[in-house]
Amino acid sequence: MGNKQYRIAFIRGLFDTDGCIYLEKKHYKDKLYQYLGWAITSYAPLLRNDVLVILRDLSFHPTHQSSQTSVFLRKGEDVRRFFQLIGSNNPKHVQRFERFSELL
């Protein structure tokens, strides 16, 4: 946990296998709002807690409820910064990020 490069590699690998990128759509007063979202899902509470700690240490703003099995980045700027700083080796995630970014 002490080495920043190891933490970044850990989050990248976990996201590549257990993460997702999505486009959240909400309707409000007849208008469509779209948000870029990011999540890592794990049923291991200690792992989720480590993800929260690492993301916060890297100046991200993750959200998580104790009743949930996922950690989220819900701010578009956090998701974009994730792909700049940490990135992904999973082509599916990279393609979805690029496609969704074009829509916003």
Side-chain angles (χ1 to χ4, degrees), residues 28-66:
Y28 180 73
K29 293 187 178 180
D30 297 327
K31 187 165 181 179
L32 175 66
Y33 295 90
Q34 298 183 64
Y35 303 93
L36 193 56
W38 174 103
I40 287 179
T41 300
S42 173
Y43 288 90
L46 293 175
L47 182 61
R48 285 193 307 268
N49 188 59
D50 286 347
V51 170
L52 285 166
V53 168
I54 292 169
L55 289 173
R56 287 180 183 139
D57 285 349
L58 295 172
S59 300
F60 289 97
H61 305 92
T63 61
H64 170 70
Q65 304 276 330
S66 60

mmCIF file of all heavy atoms in Angstrom, residues 28-66:
data_model
loop_
_atom_site.group_PDB
_atom_site.id
_atom_site.type_symbol
_atom_site.label_atom_id
_atom_site.label_comp_id
_atom_site.label_asym_id
_atom_site.label_seq_id
_atom_site.Cartn_x
_atom_site.Cartn_y
_atom_site.Cartn_z
ATOM 1 N N TYR A 28 -35.282 14.673 -16.267
ATOM 2 C CA TYR A 28 -35.767 15.634 -15.281
ATOM 3 C C TYR A 28 -36.437 16.772 -16.031
ATOM 4 O O TYR A 28 -35.814 17.422 -16.878
ATOM 5 C CB TYR A 28 -34.611 16.157 -14.420
ATOM 6 C CG TYR A 28 -35.035 17.150 -13.381
ATOM 7 C CD1 TYR A 28 -35.740 16.744 -12.256
ATOM 8 C CD2 TYR A 28 -34.758 18.501 -13.530
ATOM 9 C CE1 TYR A 28 -36.154 17.648 -11.299
ATOM 10 C CE2 TYR A 28 -35.163 19.417 -12.573
ATOM 11 C CZ TYR A 28 -35.853 18.990 -11.466
ATOM 12 O OH TYR A 28 -36.264 19.900 -10.514
ATOM 13 N N LYS A 29 -37.713 16.977 -15.727
ATOM 14 C CA LYS A 29 -38.498 18.029 -16.371
ATOM 15 C C LYS A 29 -38.372 17.977 -17.898
ATOM 16 O O LYS A 29 -38.011 18.946 -18.543
ATOM 17 C CB LYS A 29 -38.083 19.404 -15.851
ATOM 18 C CG LYS A 29 -38.436 19.619 -14.403
ATOM 19 C CD LYS A 29 -38.167 21.040 -13.969
ATOM 20 C CE LYS A 29 -38.583 21.213 -12.519
ATOM 21 N NZ LYS A 29 -38.363 22.556 -12.034
ATOM 22 N N ASP A 30 -38.646 16.820 -18.447
ATOM 23 C CA ASP A 30 -38.635 16.595 -19.892
ATOM 24 C C ASP A 30 -37.277 16.820 -20.551
ATOM 25 O O ASP A 30 -37.197 17.057 -21.759
ATOM 26 C CB ASP A 30 -39.691 17.470 -20.590
ATOM 27 C CG ASP A 30 -41.095 17.113 -20.153
ATOM 28 O OD1 ASP A 30 -41.332 15.916 -19.864
ATOM 29 O OD2 ASP A 30 -41.946 18.010 -20.082
ATOM 30 N N LYS A 31 -36.214 16.795 -19.775
ATOM 31 C CA LYS A 31 -34.884 16.936 -20.338
ATOM 32 C C LYS A 31 -34.046 15.718 -19.946
ATOM 33 O O LYS A 31 -34.153 15.214 -18.841
ATOM 34 C CB LYS A 31 -34.211 18.208 -19.844
ATOM 35 C CG LYS A 31 -32.896 18.476 -20.529
ATOM 36 C CD LYS A 31 -32.403 19.873 -20.324
ATOM 37 C CE LYS A 31 -31.091 19.998 -21.089
ATOM 38 N NZ LYS A 31 -30.503 21.273 -21.006
ATOM 39 N N LEU A 32 -33.217 15.258 -20.892
ATOM 40 C CA LEU A 32 -32.346 14.112 -20.656
ATOM 41 C C LEU A 32 -30.968 14.596 -20.219
ATOM 42 O O LEU A 32 -30.355 15.430 -20.881
ATOM 43 C CB LEU A 32 -32.220 13.274 -21.927
ATOM 44 C CG LEU A 32 -31.249 12.104 -21.879
ATOM 45 C CD1 LEU A 32 -31.728 11.047 -20.881
ATOM 46 C CD2 LEU A 32 -31.079 11.499 -23.259
ATOM 47 N N TYR A 33 -30.504 14.062 -19.098
ATOM 48 C CA TYR A 33 -29.162 14.343 -18.604
ATOM 49 C C TYR A 33 -28.371 13.046 -18.647
ATOM 50 O O TYR A 33 -28.893 11.986 -18.275
ATOM 51 C CB TYR A 33 -29.194 14.875 -17.168
ATOM 52 C CG TYR A 33 -29.868 16.212 -17.054
ATOM 53 C CD1 TYR A 33 -31.242 16.298 -16.820
ATOM 54 C CD2 TYR A 33 -29.150 17.390 -17.200
ATOM 55 C CE1 TYR A 33 -31.871 17.532 -16.726
ATOM 56 C CE2 TYR A 33 -29.764 18.629 -17.111
ATOM 57 C CZ TYR A 33 -31.132 18.682 -16.866
ATOM 58 O OH TYR A 33 -31.751 19.905 -16.775
ATOM 59 N N GLN A 34 -27.133 13.125 -19.110
ATOM 60 C CA GLN A 34 -26.295 11.945 -19.203
ATOM 61 C C GLN A 34 -25.016 12.173 -18.397
ATOM 62 O O GLN A 34 -24.425 13.249 -18.450
ATOM 63 C CB GLN A 34 -25.929 11.656 -20.655
ATOM 64 C CG GLN A 34 -27.145 11.353 -21.509
ATOM 65 C CD GLN A 34 -26.759 11.000 -22.922
ATOM 66 O OE1 GLN A 34 -26.110 10.007 -23.159
ATOM 67 N NE2 GLN A 34 -27.176 11.831 -23.861
ATOM 68 N N TYR A 35 -24.618 11.134 -17.671
ATOM 69 C CA TYR A 35 -23.440 11.201 -16.816
ATOM 70 C C TYR A 35 -22.553 9.991 -17.090
ATOM 71 O O TYR A 35 -23.039 8.883 -17.250
ATOM 72 C CB TYR A 35 -23.840 11.182 -15.337
ATOM 73 C CG TYR A 35 -24.791 12.275 -14.948
ATOM 74 C CD1 TYR A 35 -26.164 12.067 -14.959
ATOM 75 C CD2 TYR A 35 -24.318 13.521 -14.564
ATOM 76 C CE1 TYR A 35 -27.046 13.066 -14.610
ATOM 77 C CE2 TYR A 35 -25.192 14.529 -14.206
ATOM 78 C CZ TYR A 35 -26.558 14.302 -14.231
ATOM 79 O OH TYR A 35 -27.425 15.299 -13.881
ATOM 80 N N LEU A 36 -21.262 10.237 -17.094
ATOM 81 C CA LEU A 36 -20.293 9.170 -17.227
ATOM 82 C C LEU A 36 -20.063 8.559 -15.856
ATOM 83 O O LEU A 36 -19.823 9.278 -14.882
ATOM 84 C CB LEU A 36 -18.985 9.753 -17.773
ATOM 85 C CG LEU A 36 -17.923 8.814 -18.284
ATOM 86 C CD1 LEU A 36 -18.476 7.897 -19.369
ATOM 87 C CD2 LEU A 36 -16.762 9.616 -18.838
ATOM 88 N N GLY A 37 -20.162 7.240 -15.750
ATOM 89 C CA GLY A 37 -19.994 6.560 -14.475
ATOM 90 C C GLY A 37 -18.937 5.470 -14.551
ATOM 91 O O GLY A 37 -18.615 4.967 -15.625
ATOM 92 N N TRP A 38 -18.411 5.126 -13.380
ATOM 93 C CA TRP A 38 -17.346 4.127 -13.242
ATOM 94 C C TRP A 38 -17.634 3.341 -11.987
ATOM 95 O O TRP A 38 -18.071 3.913 -10.991
ATOM 96 C CB TRP A 38 -16.030 4.890 -13.128
ATOM 97 C CG TRP A 38 -14.787 4.137 -12.843
ATOM 98 C CD1 TRP A 38 -13.826 3.815 -13.741
ATOM 99 C CD2 TRP A 38 -14.307 3.670 -11.576
ATOM 100 N NE1 TRP A 38 -12.794 3.169 -13.114
ATOM 101 C CE2 TRP A 38 -13.067 3.069 -11.776
ATOM 102 C CE3 TRP A 38 -14.813 3.694 -10.288
ATOM 103 C CZ2 TRP A 38 -12.336 2.500 -10.746
ATOM 104 C CZ3 TRP A 38 -14.084 3.126 -9.255
ATOM 105 C CH2 TRP A 38 -12.859 2.537 -9.498
ATOM 106 N N ALA A 39 -17.388 2.031 -12.016
ATOM 107 C CA ALA A 39 -17.632 1.214 -10.821
ATOM 108 C C ALA A 39 -16.709 0.008 -10.797
ATOM 109 O O ALA A 39 -16.314 -0.510 -11.841
ATOM 110 C CB ALA A 39 -19.085 0.743 -10.783
ATOM 111 N N ILE A 40 -16.374 -0.394 -9.582
ATOM 112 C CA ILE A 40 -15.710 -1.673 -9.322
ATOM 113 C C ILE A 40 -16.610 -2.412 -8.340
ATOM 114 O O ILE A 40 -17.019 -1.844 -7.331
ATOM 115 C CB ILE A 40 -14.303 -1.495 -8.720
ATOM 116 C CG1 ILE A 40 -13.330 -0.988 -9.781
ATOM 117 C CG2 ILE A 40 -13.806 -2.814 -8.133
ATOM 118 C CD1 ILE A 40 -11.923 -0.767 -9.268
ATOM 119 N N THR A 41 -16.899 -3.676 -8.646
ATOM 120 C CA THR A 41 -17.764 -4.479 -7.797
ATOM 121 C C THR A 41 -16.958 -5.592 -7.144
ATOM 122 O O THR A 41 -16.160 -6.257 -7.802
ATOM 123 C CB THR A 41 -18.913 -5.091 -8.614
ATOM 124 O OG1 THR A 41 -19.672 -4.024 -9.191
ATOM 125 C CG2 THR A 41 -19.823 -5.945 -7.751
ATOM 126 N N SER A 42 -17.184 -5.763 -5.836
ATOM 127 C CA SER A 42 -16.544 -6.851 -5.096
ATOM 128 C C SER A 42 -17.423 -7.208 -3.903
ATOM 129 O O SER A 42 -17.978 -6.330 -3.247
ATOM 130 C CB SER A 42 -15.160 -6.439 -4.599
ATOM 131 O OG SER A 42 -14.626 -7.444 -3.760
ATOM 132 N N TYR A 43 -17.509 -8.481 -3.611
ATOM 133 C CA TYR A 43 -18.266 -8.928 -2.441
ATOM 134 C C TYR A 43 -17.390 -8.988 -1.198
ATOM 135 O O TYR A 43 -17.861 -9.361 -0.137
ATOM 136 C CB TYR A 43 -18.925 -10.286 -2.718
ATOM 137 C CG TYR A 43 -20.078 -10.152 -3.678
ATOM 138 C CD1 TYR A 43 -19.885 -10.261 -5.040
ATOM 139 C CD2 TYR A 43 -21.353 -9.858 -3.214
ATOM 140 C CE1 TYR A 43 -20.931 -10.106 -5.931
ATOM 141 C CE2 TYR A 43 -22.404 -9.701 -4.088
ATOM 142 C CZ TYR A 43 -22.186 -9.822 -5.446
ATOM 143 O OH TYR A 43 -23.238 -9.654 -6.312
ATOM 144 N N ALA A 44 -16.119 -8.603 -1.331
ATOM 145 C CA ALA A 44 -15.185 -8.610 -0.205
ATOM 146 C C ALA A 44 -15.107 -7.205 0.403
ATOM 147 O O ALA A 44 -14.550 -6.296 -0.212
ATOM 148 C CB ALA A 44 -13.805 -9.051 -0.668
ATOM 149 N N PRO A 45 -15.673 -7.017 1.597
ATOM 150 C CA PRO A 45 -15.690 -5.677 2.212
ATOM 151 C C PRO A 45 -14.292 -5.083 2.402
ATOM 152 O O PRO A 45 -14.104 -3.877 2.204
ATOM 153 C CB PRO A 45 -16.372 -5.895 3.562
ATOM 154 C CG PRO A 45 -17.101 -7.179 3.435
ATOM 155 C CD PRO A 45 -16.366 -7.999 2.420
ATOM 156 N N LEU A 46 -13.315 -5.893 2.755
ATOM 157 C CA LEU A 46 -11.966 -5.360 2.955
ATOM 158 C C LEU A 46 -11.370 -4.868 1.640
ATOM 159 O O LEU A 46 -10.672 -3.843 1.610
ATOM 160 C CB LEU A 46 -11.060 -6.414 3.594
ATOM 161 C CG LEU A 46 -11.415 -6.789 5.031
ATOM 162 C CD1 LEU A 46 -10.528 -7.934 5.521
ATOM 163 C CD2 LEU A 46 -11.302 -5.589 5.956
ATOM 164 N N LEU A 47 -11.647 -5.564 0.558
ATOM 165 C CA LEU A 47 -11.169 -5.136 -0.751
ATOM 166 C C LEU A 47 -11.823 -3.819 -1.158
ATOM 167 O O LEU A 47 -11.147 -2.901 -1.642
ATOM 168 C CB LEU A 47 -11.433 -6.215 -1.797
ATOM 169 C CG LEU A 47 -10.937 -5.918 -3.212
ATOM 170 C CD1 LEU A 47 -9.429 -5.735 -3.240
ATOM 171 C CD2 LEU A 47 -11.349 -7.036 -4.150
ATOM 172 N N ARG A 48 -13.137 -3.711 -0.964
ATOM 173 C CA ARG A 48 -13.841 -2.455 -1.278
ATOM 174 C C ARG A 48 -13.258 -1.309 -0.468
ATOM 175 O O ARG A 48 -13.054 -0.205 -0.987
ATOM 176 C CB ARG A 48 -15.343 -2.587 -0.996
ATOM 177 C CG ARG A 48 -16.086 -3.403 -2.020
ATOM 178 C CD ARG A 48 -17.591 -3.234 -1.888
ATOM 179 N NE ARG A 48 -18.092 -3.477 -0.550
ATOM 180 C CZ ARG A 48 -18.537 -4.645 -0.106
ATOM 181 N NH1 ARG A 48 -18.529 -5.702 -0.886
ATOM 182 N NH2 ARG A 48 -19.001 -4.768 1.126
ATOM 183 N N ASN A 49 -12.962 -1.556 0.809
ATOM 184 C CA ASN A 49 -12.393 -0.514 1.648
ATOM 185 C C ASN A 49 -11.011 -0.096 1.131
ATOM 186 O O ASN A 49 -10.695 1.102 1.104
ATOM 187 C CB ASN A 49 -12.293 -0.978 3.102
ATOM 188 C CG ASN A 49 -11.890 0.143 4.014
ATOM 189 O OD1 ASN A 49 -12.580 1.154 4.100
ATOM 190 N ND2 ASN A 49 -10.752 -0.005 4.677
ATOM 191 N N ASP A 50 -10.196 -1.056 0.719
ATOM 192 C CA ASP A 50 -8.881 -0.723 0.157
ATOM 193 C C ASP A 50 -9.026 0.124 -1.107
ATOM 194 O O ASP A 50 -8.264 1.067 -1.318
ATOM 195 C CB ASP A 50 -8.086 -1.991 -0.157
ATOM 196 C CG ASP A 50 -7.538 -2.674 1.081
ATOM 197 O OD1 ASP A 50 -7.555 -2.044 2.177
ATOM 198 O OD2 ASP A 50 -7.098 -3.833 0.980
ATOM 199 N N VAL A 51 -9.994 -0.197 -1.945
ATOM 200 C CA VAL A 51 -10.237 0.583 -3.155
ATOM 201 C C VAL A 51 -10.606 2.019 -2.785
ATOM 202 O O VAL A 51 -10.085 2.974 -3.371
ATOM 203 C CB VAL A 51 -11.341 -0.074 -4.027
ATOM 204 C CG1 VAL A 51 -11.777 0.848 -5.151
ATOM 205 C CG2 VAL A 51 -10.857 -1.404 -4.574
ATOM 206 N N LEU A 52 -11.482 2.182 -1.802
ATOM 207 C CA LEU A 52 -11.866 3.524 -1.349
ATOM 208 C C LEU A 52 -10.645 4.308 -0.858
ATOM 209 O O LEU A 52 -10.458 5.472 -1.228
ATOM 210 C CB LEU A 52 -12.905 3.439 -0.225
ATOM 211 C CG LEU A 52 -14.313 3.071 -0.628
ATOM 212 C CD1 LEU A 52 -15.135 2.688 0.602
ATOM 213 C CD2 LEU A 52 -14.974 4.213 -1.367
ATOM 214 N N VAL A 53 -9.831 3.673 -0.036
ATOM 215 C CA VAL A 53 -8.653 4.346 0.527
ATOM 216 C C VAL A 53 -7.689 4.761 -0.584
ATOM 217 O O VAL A 53 -7.213 5.897 -0.615
ATOM 218 C CB VAL A 53 -7.945 3.427 1.556
ATOM 219 C CG1 VAL A 53 -6.577 3.964 1.933
ATOM 220 C CG2 VAL A 53 -8.817 3.255 2.796
ATOM 221 N N ILE A 54 -7.413 3.848 -1.503
ATOM 222 C CA ILE A 54 -6.478 4.155 -2.592
ATOM 223 C C ILE A 54 -7.009 5.282 -3.465
ATOM 224 O O ILE A 54 -6.272 6.221 -3.796
ATOM 225 C CB ILE A 54 -6.185 2.891 -3.427
ATOM 226 C CG1 ILE A 54 -5.379 1.889 -2.597
ATOM 227 C CG2 ILE A 54 -5.441 3.248 -4.711
ATOM 228 C CD1 ILE A 54 -5.260 0.517 -3.236
ATOM 229 N N LEU A 55 -8.272 5.208 -3.842
ATOM 230 C CA LEU A 55 -8.840 6.264 -4.692
ATOM 231 C C LEU A 55 -8.816 7.621 -3.991
ATOM 232 O O LEU A 55 -8.478 8.632 -4.605
ATOM 233 C CB LEU A 55 -10.264 5.898 -5.119
ATOM 234 C CG LEU A 55 -10.377 4.757 -6.132
ATOM 235 C CD1 LEU A 55 -11.835 4.373 -6.343
ATOM 236 C CD2 LEU A 55 -9.725 5.146 -7.457
ATOM 237 N N ARG A 56 -9.138 7.649 -2.722
ATOM 238 C CA ARG A 56 -9.086 8.919 -1.978
ATOM 239 C C ARG A 56 -7.658 9.438 -1.888
ATOM 240 O O ARG A 56 -7.423 10.640 -2.033
ATOM 241 C CB ARG A 56 -9.695 8.746 -0.599
ATOM 242 C CG ARG A 56 -11.197 8.616 -0.651
ATOM 243 C CD ARG A 56 -11.815 8.444 0.723
ATOM 244 N NE ARG A 56 -13.249 8.251 0.604
ATOM 245 C CZ ARG A 56 -13.941 7.378 1.323
ATOM 246 N NH1 ARG A 56 -13.351 6.628 2.232
ATOM 247 N NH2 ARG A 56 -15.239 7.257 1.142
ATOM 248 N N ASP A 57 -6.702 8.537 -1.647
ATOM 249 C CA ASP A 57 -5.291 8.942 -1.593
ATOM 250 C C ASP A 57 -4.816 9.521 -2.918
ATOM 251 O O ASP A 57 -3.905 10.341 -2.956
ATOM 252 C CB ASP A 57 -4.398 7.765 -1.206
ATOM 253 C CG ASP A 57 -4.479 7.420 0.273
ATOM 254 O OD1 ASP A 57 -5.059 8.216 1.050
ATOM 255 O OD2 ASP A 57 -3.975 6.343 0.654
ATOM 256 N N LEU A 58 -5.427 9.083 -4.006
ATOM 257 C CA LEU A 58 -5.086 9.587 -5.334
ATOM 258 C C LEU A 58 -5.946 10.787 -5.731
ATOM 259 O O LEU A 58 -5.989 11.170 -6.895
ATOM 260 C CB LEU A 58 -5.220 8.461 -6.369
ATOM 261 C CG LEU A 58 -4.249 7.289 -6.198
ATOM 262 C CD1 LEU A 58 -4.615 6.143 -7.151
ATOM 263 C CD2 LEU A 58 -2.811 7.737 -6.418
ATOM 264 N N SER A 59 -6.656 11.365 -4.761
ATOM 265 C CA SER A 59 -7.475 12.579 -4.934
ATOM 266 C C SER A 59 -8.718 12.375 -5.794
ATOM 267 O O SER A 59 -9.188 13.304 -6.459
ATOM 268 C CB SER A 59 -6.634 13.731 -5.486
ATOM 269 O OG SER A 59 -5.585 14.021 -4.600
ATOM 270 N N PHE A 60 -9.270 11.159 -5.780
ATOM 271 C CA PHE A 60 -10.561 10.914 -6.413
ATOM 272 C C PHE A 60 -11.647 11.061 -5.350
ATOM 273 O O PHE A 60 -11.352 11.177 -4.166
ATOM 274 C CB PHE A 60 -10.613 9.505 -7.025
ATOM 275 C CG PHE A 60 -9.749 9.353 -8.238
ATOM 276 C CD1 PHE A 60 -8.477 8.808 -8.131
ATOM 277 C CD2 PHE A 60 -10.195 9.739 -9.488
ATOM 278 C CE1 PHE A 60 -7.673 8.652 -9.248
ATOM 279 C CE2 PHE A 60 -9.392 9.602 -10.617
ATOM 280 C CZ PHE A 60 -8.127 9.062 -10.491
ATOM 281 N N HIS A 61 -12.899 11.047 -5.776
ATOM 282 C CA HIS A 61 -14.048 11.215 -4.884
ATOM 283 C C HIS A 61 -14.987 10.014 -5.017
ATOM 284 O O HIS A 61 -16.088 10.142 -5.560
ATOM 285 C CB HIS A 61 -14.786 12.512 -5.214
ATOM 286 C CG HIS A 61 -13.900 13.709 -5.187
ATOM 287 N ND1 HIS A 61 -13.253 14.173 -6.310
ATOM 288 C CD2 HIS A 61 -13.522 14.496 -4.161
ATOM 289 C CE1 HIS A 61 -12.526 15.221 -5.981
ATOM 290 N NE2 HIS A 61 -12.668 15.435 -4.689
ATOM 291 N N PRO A 62 -14.572 8.846 -4.529
ATOM 292 C CA PRO A 62 -15.411 7.652 -4.664
ATOM 293 C C PRO A 62 -16.622 7.696 -3.736
ATOM 294 O O PRO A 62 -16.590 8.354 -2.693
ATOM 295 C CB PRO A 62 -14.468 6.513 -4.270
ATOM 296 C CG PRO A 62 -13.511 7.137 -3.317
ATOM 297 C CD PRO A 62 -13.327 8.550 -3.802
ATOM 298 N N THR A 63 -17.665 7.005 -4.146
ATOM 299 C CA THR A 63 -18.848 6.861 -3.299
ATOM 300 C C THR A 63 -19.096 5.377 -3.073
ATOM 301 O O THR A 63 -18.783 4.539 -3.915
ATOM 302 C CB THR A 63 -20.099 7.501 -3.933
ATOM 303 O OG1 THR A 63 -20.378 6.853 -5.174
ATOM 304 C CG2 THR A 63 -19.906 8.981 -4.170
ATOM 305 N N HIS A 64 -19.655 5.095 -1.901
ATOM 306 C CA HIS A 64 -19.966 3.716 -1.545
ATOM 307 C C HIS A 64 -20.912 3.730 -0.355
ATOM 308 O O HIS A 64 -20.732 4.494 0.577
ATOM 309 C CB HIS A 64 -18.687 2.951 -1.183
ATOM 310 C CG HIS A 64 -18.940 1.607 -0.586
ATOM 311 N ND1 HIS A 64 -19.442 0.564 -1.334
ATOM 312 C CD2 HIS A 64 -18.794 1.142 0.661
ATOM 313 C CE1 HIS A 64 -19.572 -0.489 -0.545
ATOM 314 N NE2 HIS A 64 -19.191 -0.167 0.670
ATOM 315 N N GLN A 65 -21.908 2.886 -0.417
ATOM 316 C CA GLN A 65 -22.829 2.690 0.700
ATOM 317 C C GLN A 65 -22.541 1.318 1.289
ATOM 318 O O GLN A 65 -22.221 0.384 0.553
ATOM 319 C CB GLN A 65 -24.279 2.731 0.211
ATOM 320 C CG GLN A 65 -24.652 3.986 -0.522
ATOM 321 C CD GLN A 65 -25.051 5.087 0.420
ATOM 322 O OE1 GLN A 65 -25.572 4.825 1.488
ATOM 323 N NE2 GLN A 65 -24.809 6.324 0.037
ATOM 324 N N SER A 66 -22.672 1.177 2.594
ATOM 325 C CA SER A 66 -22.373 -0.114 3.228
ATOM 326 C C SER A 66 -23.270 -1.237 2.715
ATOM 327 O O SER A 66 -22.907 -2.408 2.775
ATOM 328 C CB SER A 66 -22.470 -0.005 4.751
ATOM 329 O OG SER A 66 -23.780 0.390 5.122
#
